[in-house]
Amino acid sequence: MGMDNTSPDASDASATAGDSGTPLAARPLTRALLEIDAYASGLGWDGPARLFALVDTERLRTEEPELAERLGLEEDGPDGPGHAAPPVGGPSLTPIEQDELPPDAPLDEFLAGIAWPDAVAGCALCVERLMLPPSVESEIPDELRREENIDALARWVAEHPQRQEVRMTVGVLRGGERESALRLRSRDAETEVVTGPDLVPGLTEALAATFEG
């Protein structure tokens, strides 16, 4: 799995605050996911799953200057052109969109076949799903909870009157850090995006596995 030259527009991202009032976007991984969420939001709903490589921005400027220039990463800082001020919270991460995912391939099988080059510090996936609020999960029939009935379960959820459309942007770093950003279609605003490391554990596990072996 390589890198191409498509990057979300970082100017569309905004910081959100957690329960403590601390800006969650102070963490580089959170900032990167909010950039991706804002990018996907600008493209509208009902879009395909999108996979991104996350690369150290300064390393990209140094090792791939032409690609960095195409991505608009040549920033002016206090030391002159190309020398941006040190980012708050650690090295800045640049999301680089990969080739479109095969539409008919199961997501777990596709992710299982990914191997990232050493230059990639992490990865992120943006995908839309139908979900039920926790208050109604007890209504799911027992027979639909079996693995062989996953398609029937998806149809059941799609027909439920309390279903919610959600865009999940999930990311992991090679060192183990994880983060997620969720946006409900019914509350489609940057200020309503919810972030946290354990919101979509199954998906974060699948992404983390792409850096193993």
Side-chain angles (χ1 to χ4, degrees):
M1 179 65 63
M3 297 185 290
D4 63 20
N5 60 358
T6 305
S7 176
D9 185 350
S11 64
D12 289 336
S14 66
T16 59
D19 295 339
S20 65
T22 302
L24 293 174
R27 298 172 58 215
L29 180 55
T30 309
R31 287 200 303 268
L33 295 192
L34 290 175
E35 289 179 21
I36 294 171
D37 171 78
Y39 167 69
S41 178
L43 297 175
W45 287 85
D46 304 316
R50 301 177 184 277
L51 181 67
F52 298 81
L54 302 178
V55 298
D56 182 297
T57 304
E58 192 57 40
R59 180 175 179 180
L60 184 63
R61 288 194 187 103
T62 301
E63 299 182 2
E64 299 283 351
E66 293 183 2
L67 175 56
E69 185 175 2
R70 290 201 300 271
L71 296 177
L73 299 178
E74 291 300 316
E75 301 177 0
D76 291 349
D79 296 325
H83 295 276
V88 176
S92 175
L93 296 168
T94 295
I96 301 179
E97 187 170 6
Q98 304 299 287
D99 294 336
E100 186 172 324
L101 277 63
D104 299 326
L107 188 57
D108 56 345
E109 293 181 10
F110 175 79
L111 293 177
I114 291 177
W116 296 104
D118 292 341
V120 174
C123 67
L125 182 72
C126 184
V127 62
E128 296 176 15
R129 287 289 184 267
L130 290 175
M131 300 181 67
L132 294 176
S135 59
V136 302
E137 288 186 358
S138 61
E139 300 177 14
I140 300 175
D142 290 339
E143 63 271 16
L144 296 184
R145 298 176 184 271
R146 300 169 186 162
E147 186 174 354
E148 63 269 20
N149 293 330
I150 188 171
D151 291 338
L153 174 60
R155 290 192 297 270
W156 188 88
V157 171
E159 295 170 359
H160 197 283
Q162 291 183 257
R163 67 188 181 277
Q164 299 182 37
E165 293 180 73
V166 59
R167 180 182 295 122
M168 303 181 292
T169 306
V170 181
V172 302
L173 296 184
R174 191 181 290 273
E177 184 179 345
R178 304 177 181 194
E179 184 65 293
S180 305
L182 303 186
R183 181 192 290 250
L184 295 175
R185 190 166 188 168
S186 60
R187 304 174 68 177
D188 192 4
E190 289 187 5
T191 55
E192 298 290 344
V193 176
V194 178
T195 61
D198 302 315
L199 300 179
V200 195
L203 199 50
T204 52
E205 286 287 349
L207 288 179
T210 65
F211 290 101
E212 298 175 356

